């Protein structure tokens, strides 16, 4: 028994470098692709993106587990599994892990015929009236809020009733198998108290200036993760929508949100590339100091990565700019 355990550990240790090597697919990045804002993309680009996002729900799962069958469900599942217990939030790996995750999603869209790049929702530009943003367009967007009156889900989840994703039927709610229709539960605004809808005040220019004013990574990432990032999740997901629980990649808007988080980080890095591109510091949830050699687990959805290869969007395993 003991021998078996040691053997397993040894195999795991041996397997790590080659897996990571495969993950890196290191190539020189000579012509980085430009990631666009959804609001600025053409109708053709939007249609193509939406069709590929829908196609993921027709592709087989890569995970070989019996509870679900599609590549679409893999994303919500992986994110939930890596959050309970916590391995990807509240620690320095938050930014590079989600950067890699968005890239894995972009690659999956390519397997569904999409030829463009990941796109972002510039919520910092839309903070005062987030519900009016182009991303919620019922034809060339992700549809709108969930509805109290829509049946099919039960009372705990507000089904999205319009837009191209209204028939999405995610398998997971948090880590539990709980098939339901895609749900959203936008946080209402309180104009009398100066509170914007969807908790927009938490990603206002004032807040973004504060976040961006930090000059060291271990102050910058928690500021970005806690307020703007968390508020957008809670503002869209509320208590009864998919962006709330840890299976949040169920909602396709997750990837436009996280591309925006990635863009804020990228812009921060660009302000002082020499010092910030590989700036990576802080304490991990296991109490150890974070290092550039830390692993980015993908649980079989894609090869595990190494933080170092996901710090520079213009080198390592990546090749894009914003
Ligand atoms: Cu996350």
């Amino acid at each position: 028994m003991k021998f078996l355990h040691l053997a397993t550990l040894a195999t795991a240790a041996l397997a790590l470098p080659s897996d990571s090597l495969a993950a890196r697919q290191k190539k020189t990045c000579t012509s980085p692709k430009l990631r666009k804002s959804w609001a600025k993309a053409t109708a053709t680009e939007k249609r193509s993106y939406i069709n590929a996002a829908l196609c993921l729900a027709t592709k087989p799962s890569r995970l070989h587990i019996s509870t679900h069958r599609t590549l679409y469900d893999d994303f919500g599942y992986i994110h939930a599994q890596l959050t309970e217990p916590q391995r990807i939030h509240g620690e320095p790996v938050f930014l590079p892990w989600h950067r890699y995750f968005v890239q894995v999603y972009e690659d999956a869209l390519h397997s569904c015929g999409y030829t463009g790049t990941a796109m972002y929702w510039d919520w910092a530009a839309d903070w005062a009236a987030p519900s009016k943003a182009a991303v919620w367009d019922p034809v060339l967007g992700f549809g709108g809020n969930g509805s109290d009156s829509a049946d099919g889900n039960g009372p705990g989840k507000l089904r999205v009733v319009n837009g191209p994703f209204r028939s999405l039927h995610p398998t997971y709610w948090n880590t539990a198998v709980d098939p339901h229709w895609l749900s959203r539960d936008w946080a209402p605004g309180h104009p009398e108290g100066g509170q914007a809808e969807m908790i927009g005040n938490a990603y206002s220019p004032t807040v973004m200036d504060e976040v961006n004013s930090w000059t060291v990574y271990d102050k910058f990432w928690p500021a970005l993760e806690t307020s703007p990032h968390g508020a957008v999740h809670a503002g869209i997901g509320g208590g009864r929508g998919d962006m709330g629980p840890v299976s949040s990649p169920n909602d396709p808007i997750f990837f436009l949100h996280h591309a925006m988080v990635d863009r804020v980080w990228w812009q921060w890095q660009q302000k002082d590339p020499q010092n910030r591109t590989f700036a990576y510091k802080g304490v991990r949830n296991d109490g150890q100091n974070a290092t550039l050699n830390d692993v980015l687990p993908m649980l079989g959805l894609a090869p595990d990565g190494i933080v170092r290869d996901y710090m520079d969007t213009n080198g390592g395993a990546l090749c894009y700019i914003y």
Side-chain angles (χ1 to χ4, degrees):
M1 195 64 193
K2 194 176 179 189
F3 170 76
L4 229 172
H5 180 61
L6 285 174
T8 313
L9 278 177
T11 315
L14 278 175
L16 202 59
S18 60
D19 275 3
S20 309
L21 222 69
R24 250 179 275 171
Q25 300 165 329
K26 278 205 176 186
K27 48 188 186 279
T28 322
C29 174
T30 43
S31 44
K33 289 188 189 163
L34 179 72
R35 287 190 177 173
K36 289 183 187 174
S37 159
W38 188 263
K40 292 182 182 151
T42 66
T44 309
E45 288 169 335
K46 289 175 181 175
R47 256 183 233 111
S48 167
Y49 184 105
I50 290 166
N51 288 339
L54 285 168
C55 156
L56 299 180
T58 68
K59 291 277 180 185
S61 164
R62 295 176 186 163
L63 303 180
H64 313 293
I65 53 172
S66 57
T67 40
H68 71 263
R69 288 170 300 147
T70 77
L71 180 54
Y72 161 70
D73 274 324
D74 287 353
F75 287 88
Y77 174 84
I78 294 271
H79 188 271
Q81 291 298 316
L82 291 173
T83 304
E84 292 179 1
Q86 188 58 263
R87 295 172 68 186
I88 53 174
H89 305 99
E91 57 182 318
V93 81
F94 170 74
L95 289 175
W97 188 87
H98 287 80
R99 173 173 276 178
Y100 183 25
F101 195 52
V102 171
Q103 185 60 54
V104 171
Y105 188 78
E106 181 187 309
D107 295 345
L109 295 180
H110 292 159
S111 76
C112 272
Y114 178 65
T115 54
T117 56
M119 288 198 247
Y120 60 90
W121 171 29
D122 187 351
W123 33 250
D126 292 333
W127 76 277
S131 71
K132 307 285 186 301
V135 289
W136 307 120
D137 189 279
V139 178
L140 293 175
F142 294 78
N145 200 1
S147 165
D148 253 328
S149 55
D151 53 8
N153 265 354
K157 306 175 184 75
L158 300 189
R159 182 178 176 182
V160 172
V161 287
N162 69 344
F165 298 104
R166 65 186 179 281
S167 299
L168 272 186
H169 202 252
T171 299
Y172 295 93
W173 185 266
N174 289 314
T175 53
V177 173
D178 181 3
H180 60 279
W181 301 102
L182 178 68
S183 300
R184 292 187 191 126
D185 184 10
W186 293 354
H190 296 286
E192 70 288 352
Q195 177 67 49
E197 57 184 9
M198 287 191 192
I199 324 179
N201 298 66
Y203 38 99
S204 68
T206 315
V207 174
M208 295 315 292
D209 284 350
E210 277 170 29
V211 169
N212 291 321
S213 69
W214 293 108
T215 55
V216 288
Y217 183 82
D218 55 336
K219 295 287 189 188
F220 172 75
W221 72 258
L224 175 55
E225 178 179 0
T226 311
S227 199
H229 158 261
V232 173
H233 272 285
I236 299 170
R240 299 171 292 176
D242 280 289
M243 277 290 270
V246 296
S247 46
S248 46
N250 282 344
D251 191 334
I253 198 68
F254 173 97
F255 295 96
L256 281 84
H257 171 33
H258 269 280
M260 176 63 184
V261 171
D262 189 54
R263 175 173 174 259
V264 175
W265 179 27
W266 181 85
Q267 289 174 328
W268 182 85
Q269 290 180 310
Q270 295 309 303
K271 275 190 227 157
D272 184 1
Q274 271 210 321
N275 290 308
R276 294 187 183 178
T277 302
F278 290 93
Y280 188 67
K281 192 167 172 274
V283 180
R284 301 188 327 211
N285 289 337
D286 65 6
Q288 303 293 309
N289 285 328
T291 81
L292 288 169
N293 295 322
D294 288 348
V295 173
L296 304 174
M298 281 295 154
L299 304 185
L301 177 60
D304 287 352
I306 296 281
V307 169
R308 182 190 312 281
D309 297 330
Y310 293 86
M311 295 299 290
D312 180 5
T313 70
N314 216 336
L318 303 168
C319 194
Y320 66 84
I321 52 172
Y322 287 97

